Amino acid sequence: SSGINAEYGGLSAHPSAFIRPSPSRGHLGGVARATNDAIQLCEAAGYDIIIVETVGAGQSEIAVANMTDLFTLLIPPGSGDELQGIKKGIVEVADMVIVTKADGNLKTAARLAKTEYSRALRLLRSHSDDSWTPFVMTVSSLSGEGLGEVWEEMCEYKQGKVANGQFLERRRRQRLTWLWGHVQDYLLDTLTCDPHVKELMARLEQNVLSGRVMPGAAAKEILTTFLNR
């Protein structure tokens, strides 16, 4: 699309690159499922470097952390209050943190953000049994400064994980996560498409909203109806 071409510039026209958006299918689970399937297809097609980009901060980032080999958090430099907006759950699963826009008037702010996030990571990951200590680095897409160092760090990360067996072990754990994720998605899709359940859901949702029925009781009634249909 024109939006993708504008965002990625020359990369979108590179003959060895393939860029595509992931359709949501109406919910987060659809995004994650479609993206995970796309990753596997790209690997099967021979692409050796696959980058998954998310927007915003929340559940989608945690889902992507469960389908990638290296999860990187990109943050812009702020006004010195970087930690006020820190997403603890995301930072805890990040393998690398990159402070962007480290150029011009924002270079000093980027260095400050790097220091603040480095401290935060030491606190958040102090009890982790992972042998990898996440790095915080600064880059400038405008000048290209720092990009080479980031790539070297990523390659070192992979080499270390392959050497100690954690690379393949992470992928094995991810496959189990997606096994049960698919089961949950398919069950929910089947349940919500059932005409008897849909009719019941509409009534129970109103009762839950009004406080006449507790959520747990409503859920049990929905499942009982679905299983006995």
Side-chain angles (χ1 to χ4, degrees), residues 14-73:
H14 196 287
S16 297
F18 172 68
I19 301 174
R20 59 151 289 176
S22 289
S24 68
R25 299 182 186 177
H27 54 90
L28 173 62
V31 176
R33 194 190 313 165
T35 302
N36 191 50
D37 290 345
I39 290 173
Q40 296 182 58
L41 285 172
C42 287
E43 282 197 318
Y47 288 92
D48 56 349
I49 300 172
I50 301 171
I51 300 173
V52 182
E53 180 187 18
T54 67
V55 292
Q59 285 181 291
S60 61
E61 280 71 22
I62 302 302
V64 168
N66 283 321
M67 67 177 79
T68 54
D69 300 315
L70 171 65
F71 181 62
T72 304
L73 174 63

Side-chain angles (χ1 to χ4, degrees), residues 105-119:
N105 296 332
L106 292 175
K107 196 164 189 175
T108 300
R111 289 174 178 169
L112 176 60
K114 175 182 177 180
T115 300
E116 295 291 341
Y117 273 90
S118 295
R119 291 172 180 166

Side-chain angles (χ1 to χ4, degrees), residues 7-8 70 132 134 161 183:
E7 181 176 359
Y8 293 99
L70 171 65
W132 171 260
K161 291 293 184 180
V183 169

Side-chain angles (χ1 to χ4, degrees), residues 70-74 90-91 93-98 121 125 132-137 149-155 157:
L70 171 65
F71 181 62
T72 304
L73 174 63
L74 276 68
I90 299 174
V91 174
V93 299
D95 300 303
M96 181 181 293
V97 177
I98 300 175
L121 278 170
R125 306 290 281 267
W132 171 260
T133 301
F135 278 81
V136 182
M137 310 182 76
E149 290 81 357
V150 166
W151 178 246
E152 289 177 5
E153 198 66 41
M154 289 180 171
C155 292
Y157 169 89

Side-chain angles (χ1 to χ4, degrees), residues 8-9 50 80 94 127 139 162 168 201 212 215:
Y8 293 99
I50 301 171
H127 301 296
V139 299
V162 169
L168 292 179
M201 285 173 59
R212 291 193 295 270

